[in-house]
Amino acid sequence: MASKKSDGQKPGLEIQIDSDLRYEQAVKELEQLIADMESGKFSLEETLLAYQRGAALLKHCQGVLSQVEQQVRVFEA
């Protein structure tokens, strides 16, 4: 599933997360977003988009971890 960009949105700050995004890639992107936001690199609008993207990445990571945890429970049963 491809990410959807709104007009005028900075490349790389799409809010929608590809469901095939690997956990490690999502964490790396989230760390980079945090570093960029802390550096003051973004305008106010870009900071809001980065925050929204980060929140979506965090939710994606939590979902992946939840799935893995569920699989581990099945293996332990």
Side-chain angles (χ1 to χ4, degrees), residues 15-51:
I15 305 305
Q16 189 173 355
I17 304 296
D18 186 344
S19 62
D20 294 332
L21 181 64
R22 291 176 44 112
Y23 176 83
E24 294 83 0
Q25 293 169 313
V27 168
K28 185 176 180 179
E29 183 181 343
L30 184 56
E31 289 172 343
Q32 185 61 53
L33 275 175
I34 292 168
D36 289 344
M37 289 171 67
E38 287 177 342
S39 74
K41 179 179 179 179
F42 294 142
S43 68
L44 181 60
E45 293 81 10
E46 290 168 337
T47 300
L48 177 59
L49 287 173
Y51 178 84

Side-chain angles (χ1 to χ4, degrees), residues 42-69:
F42 294 142
S43 68
L44 181 60
E45 293 81 10
E46 290 168 337
T47 300
L48 177 59
L49 287 173
Y51 178 84
Q52 291 172 333
R53 173 73 178 174
L57 286 166
L58 181 59
K59 184 175 179 181
H60 173 75
C61 288
Q62 290 171 333
V64 171
L65 287 174
S66 177
Q67 288 175 348
V68 170
E69 185 178 80

